[in-house]
Amino acid sequence: MSLTLTCPICGERNGYEFRYGGEDKGPRPDRAGLTPEQWCDYVHMNSCVAGVQKEWWFHRDGCGAWFTTHRDTRTGLETDGPDSAAQK
Amino acid sequence: MNMLQRQSPVRFSARPVKTEVRDGWTVVLEYAAQGDGLHLIDLSHRAKWDLQDGDLSRFDIAGTPIPSAPNTCTLKNGTAVCRRNRTQALIWHLAGDPPELPEDPALTDVTEASLLAALTGPNIYDVMEKICSLDLKDPAKTTPRLIQGPALHVPCLIMDLGRMGDRDVVLIACSRGYGRDMTEGLLHAGAEWNMAPAGETAFTRLFDI
């Protein structure tokens, strides 16, 4: 399966240039009142969506930017462009 | 007094005819039979700085601010300043004497950690097309510009300087450990256009034209 991803800085590139950074699980939970179980769930548990999921990618062989994008896990294809506001 | 001996990651089989020792580097100024065609020039000894900071707008390198848009470059007085992403920029001192590295923890001298080579002359874009899938011929883009991506499967920083004097110029940088294989690969790719190693003078003279 071939994969192309759109880097918000470099544009559309071969998927082999990127490193997968996992599902986007939203912001880190607040420390106040956080139980070990909640933290474990946040760190280790994934939704494993069969469909479109928002996920993190790192342009390892290129500009070094972290960004989120939307990809259909059933086809491996990007469905929306990258979320440039989420660049790290 | 002990002198630091600095070694370029690149060795060419061509015979140097003019060399100079500069800050511990043995710099080849001219090779025998380098001709005036397609050249591959080792510039690894040229000062290269890496800049990482959350606010790049506060920096002014040799009178040049960091460009605001990623992958854009400015080339002024022999110093190229390019922005890589939101927090990182590169500074390459390509001609003339480099200034002292400012006392700022955001700046790191990466000169000895990386290969820097220049391709100059005709057909350089044809050579680059053979070693990478990056689009260096996009007519919508202006030079100088930075292209970040793999060449010969090695993560590279490629700076397209466009036309300088009578020659097209592309710079390519990668980690030092890939230096020998990268230059061998470039020479192999450029063999059909008789690419030859050339000394530093063949590059620095372009800044005088």
Side-chain angles (χ1 to χ4, degrees):
Chain A
M1 183 178 72
S2 66
L3 170 66
T4 57
L5 288 167
T6 308
C7 169
I9 290 177
C10 303
E12 194 170 0
R13 293 286 184 88
N14 188 326
Y16 286 107
E17 293 183 24
F18 299 85
R19 182 198 138 189
Y20 181 59
E23 293 175 10
D24 179 42
K25 299 177 186 176
R28 189 183 174 115
D30 195 352
R31 286 176 78 100
L34 184 68
T35 65
E37 290 75 18
Q38 287 170 327
W39 177 243
C40 184
D41 282 354
Y42 178 76
V43 173
H44 298 293
M45 302 304 283
N46 291 294
S47 302
C48 299
V49 173
V52 177
Q53 97 175 346
K54 189 178 180 185
E55 51 196 29
W56 283 98
W57 286 88
F58 170 56
H59 198 183
R60 181 190 56 200
D61 288 1
C63 61
W66 280 95
F67 60 94
T68 53
T69 192
H70 295 83
R71 184 177 64 92
D72 190 327
T73 58
R74 295 164 300 183
T75 60
L77 300 176
E78 255 185 324
T79 55
D80 283 320
D83 180 3
S84 58
Q87 283 179 54
K88 295 289 177 186
Chain B
M1 188 179 123
N2 292 326
M3 277 289 290
L4 280 174
Q5 290 291 312
R6 296 186 163 97
Q7 299 287 332
S8 169
V10 178
R11 291 277 186 285
F12 293 128
S13 57
R15 183 173 59 84
V17 291
K18 200 182 285 182
T19 60
E20 175 181 296
V21 176
R22 193 186 307 154
D23 196 23
W25 299 89
T26 302
V27 180
V28 179
L29 301 177
E30 188 182 339
Y31 284 97
Q34 67 182 33
D36 57 1
L38 180 56
H39 285 162
L40 177 62
I41 304 166
D42 177 24
L43 298 173
S44 300
H45 56 280
R46 283 276 161 198
K48 300 179 281 295
W49 299 347
D50 179 61
L51 172 60
Q52 293 193 46
D53 194 83
D55 180 16
L56 293 179
S57 64
R58 73 184 177 91
F59 290 91
D60 192 276
I61 305 293
T64 307
I66 308 297
S68 55
N71 288 344
T72 54
C73 302
T74 55
L75 180 62
K76 192 174 160 188
N77 299 329
T79 298
V81 180
C82 303
R83 192 181 188 114
R84 294 193 60 193
N85 54 41
R86 189 177 64 83
T87 58
Q88 198 171 6
L90 61 83
I91 298 111
W92 292 347
H93 299 282
L94 302 172
D97 293 329
E100 283 288 310
L101 183 71
E103 288 281 337
D104 191 312
L107 279 158
T108 308
D109 189 331
V110 293
T111 307
E112 286 165 275
S114 52
L115 161 82
L116 178 62
L119 277 76
T120 74
N123 305 110
I124 59 171
Y125 297 108
D126 300 316
V127 174
M128 292 304 293
E129 259 185 8
K130 288 177 74 175
I131 64 164
C132 67
S133 59
L134 305 169
D135 185 5
L136 277 80
K137 284 184 172 175
D138 186 348
K141 300 285 170 59
T142 56
T143 56
R145 69 184 178 111
L146 182 69
I147 303 127
Q148 306 178 82
L152 293 168
H153 303 285
V154 172
C156 288
L157 299 168
I158 298 166
M159 194 185 295
D160 183 3
L161 296 181
R163 196 82 176 164
M164 291 181 69
D166 54 347
R167 301 173 81 82
D168 293 321
V169 181
V170 164
L171 303 174
I172 184 164
C174 65
S175 288
R176 180 186 175 94
Y178 296 111
R180 190 190 63 179
D181 295 328
M182 178 61 70
T183 48
E184 278 184 11
L186 285 166
L187 285 170
H188 185 71
E192 64 178 290
W193 295 285
N194 298 317
M195 181 192 273
E200 189 203 38
T201 309
F203 177 74
T204 51
R205 76 169 183 84
L206 299 175
F207 287 86
D208 302 327
I209 295 176

